[in-house]
C-alpha cells in the first residue's frame, strides 16, 4: 500500500505496472488494463464458473481478474475482498463506470463481519489467485480459517499457489510451498473443508515456477472427518516458522 502511495510500480497492483519476468515498467489505462489477466481468467472459468453463480474473489487486489469476473457474471454476483480498500480503489479507477453500474459488484475489507456476511450470502464459487504465495507459513492457518468462514454447503473454492519441493522464500513477500504443507494447514485450521482431488491444474509462471490449484468444498455431515496429518519425515514438513 505504501509502495502504491509513493507512485512506485508493482507487478499486480495499482495503476503503475511492471511486467512479470521482463522488468518493463508502464502505466495502465482503461484499454490496456482491460486485457490484463485474461490467460489466468480462462483457467478460472475452466474450473466450472458459470454466469449465474455467486462468486467471491478472495484477495482481489486491484481487480486484475475481478474486472473479467464482473463482465462474465450476472449482475450482483461478484464480491471482491482484500486486506485493504486501497488496492480495490486503485483498480476501480481503471474500470469503466458503466460496467460497474451494470454489474453492481460488491467489495469489502477482509474481517469477521465481511466474512460472515459472505457466508450468509452463500457463494457458489470462490477463487484466490496469486494470494497464497504472499502468505507466510505462520499465517497459512489464518488464511484457511477465513476461507472456511465464507464457505456454505454449496460452495467450491479454488486456491492457486506456487508449488515447490520445499518451502522457499523466493522474494521479499513470496513463498513456494509443497502441496503436503498446504494440505496439512487446511486439515489443522479448517477441518470442515474437504480437498477435491478432481480440480487439478498445473501451469508455469514467467519465471518458470510451477503454479497449481487446490479445490476445496464443505464436508457434509455424513462424511467422516479428515485423517490426521502424517508424521513429518523431514525438517521441511515440521511446523514452522523457518528461517530461509
Amino acid at each position: 500500500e505504501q509502495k502504491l502511495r509513493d507512485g512506485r510500480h508493482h507487478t499486480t497492483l495499482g495503476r503503475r505496472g511492471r511486467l512479470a519476468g521482463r522488468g518493463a515498467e508502464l502505466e495502465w489505462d482503461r484499454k490496456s488494463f482491460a486485457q490484463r489477466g485474461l490467460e489466468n481468467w480462462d483457467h478460472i472459468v475452466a474450473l466450472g464458473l458459470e454466469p449465474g453463480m455467486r462468486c467471491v474473489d478472495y484477495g482481489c487486489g486491484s481487480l486484475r481478474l475481478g474486472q473479467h469476473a464482473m463482465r462474465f457474471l450476472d449482475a450482483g454476483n461478484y464480491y471482491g475482498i482484500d486486506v485493504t480498500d486501497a488496492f480495490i480503489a486503485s483498480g476501480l479507477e481503471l474500470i469503466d463506470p458503466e460496467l460497474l453500474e451494470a454489474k453492481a459488484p460488491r467489495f469489502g475489507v477482509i474481517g469477521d463481519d465481511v466474512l460472515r456476511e459472505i457466508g450468509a450470502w452463500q457463494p457458489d464459487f470462490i477463487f484466490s489467485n496469486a494470494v497464497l504465495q504472499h502468505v507466510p507459513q505462520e499465517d497459512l492457518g489464518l488464511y484457511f480459517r477465513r476461507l472456511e468462514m465464507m464457505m456454505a454447503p454449496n460452495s467450491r473454492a479454488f486456491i492457486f499457489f506456487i508449488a515447490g519441493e520445499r518451502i522457499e522464500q523466493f522474494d521479499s513477500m513470496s513463498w513456494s510451498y509443497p502441496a503436503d504443507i498446504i494440505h496439512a494447514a487446511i486439515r489443522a485450521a479448517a477441518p470442515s473443508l474437504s480437498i477435491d482431488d478432481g480440480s487439478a491444474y498445473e501451469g508455469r509462471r514467467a519465471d518458470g515456477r510451477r503454479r497449481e490449484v487446490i479445490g476445496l468444498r464443505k464436508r457434509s455431515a455424513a462424511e467422516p472427518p479428515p485423517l490426521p496429518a502424517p508424521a513429518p519425515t523431514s525438517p521441511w514438513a515440521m511446523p514452522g516458522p523457518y528461517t530461509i
Side-chain angles (χ1 to χ4, degrees):
E1 188 174 350
Q2 183 62 49
K3 181 180 287 189
L4 299 187
R5 283 200 299 266
D6 292 345
R8 289 181 285 167
H9 294 76
H10 192 277
T11 305
T12 59
L13 299 170
R15 298 181 60 95
R16 300 168 66 86
R18 179 183 291 112
L19 296 180
R22 283 176 271 176
E25 296 182 347
L26 45 82
E27 298 279 343
W28 301 114
D29 57 23
R30 285 183 182 169
K31 183 177 180 180
S32 59
F33 186 73
Q35 302 303 309
R36 296 207 67 200
L38 281 172
E39 180 180 355
N40 288 339
W41 175 245
D42 289 342
H43 297 153
I44 291 168
V45 173
L47 291 169
L49 182 62
E50 299 176 0
M53 292 180 172
R54 292 179 173 182
C55 177
V56 176
D57 185 352
Y58 181 21
C60 63
S62 296
L63 307 174
R64 182 170 52 111
L65 295 181
Q67 60 173 326
H68 305 304
M70 291 178 221
R71 295 186 185 99
F72 179 84
L73 295 166
D74 293 344
N77 278 359
Y78 175 82
Y79 204 135
I81 60 172
D82 213 310
V83 293
T84 171
D85 57 6
F87 296 161
I88 299 169
S90 64
L92 289 174
E93 294 175 357
L94 293 166
I95 295 176
D96 190 333
E98 292 184 1
L99 175 66
L100 299 174
E101 183 177 359
K103 294 294 186 166
R106 307 179 187 204
F107 303 99
V109 175
I110 296 171
D112 287 353
D113 289 345
V114 166
L115 299 176
R116 282 192 288 266
E117 176 184 307
I118 292 172
W121 190 54
Q122 296 196 328
D124 302 289
F125 192 101
I126 299 171
F127 70 90
S128 187
N129 180 75
V131 178
L132 190 60
Q133 69 203 52
H134 300 306
V135 178
Q137 198 241 349
E138 60 268 24
D139 288 335
L140 290 176
L142 175 62
Y143 173 87
F144 286 111
R145 283 193 297 275
R146 287 172 164 171
L147 175 64
E148 185 180 39
M149 287 181 68
M150 289 187 281
M151 292 186 69
N154 61 301
S155 303
R156 296 184 70 203
F158 298 93
I159 311 301
F160 290 81
F161 69 103
I162 308 302
E165 299 303 317
R166 60 185 180 88
I167 300 174
E168 179 188 358
Q169 184 172 358
F170 59 89
D171 203 348
S172 59
M173 275 296 292
S174 298
W175 289 265
S176 61
Y177 290 107
D180 60 346
I181 295 292
I182 302 300
H183 291 189
I186 295 167
R187 286 193 294 265
S192 75
L193 301 187
S194 177
I195 297 170
D196 181 1
D197 293 326
S199 59
Y201 160 82
E202 183 175 319
R204 294 280 175 178
R205 289 166 25 116
D207 62 6
R209 296 184 185 276
R210 194 169 76 252
R211 293 179 78 241
E212 294 185 8
V213 66
I214 291 179
L216 296 165
R217 59 182 176 81
K218 274 278 193 178
R219 190 181 306 278
S220 72
E223 289 182 88
L227 295 173
T233 57
S234 76
W236 293 108
M238 297 287 285
Y242 309 111
T243 300
I244 308 298

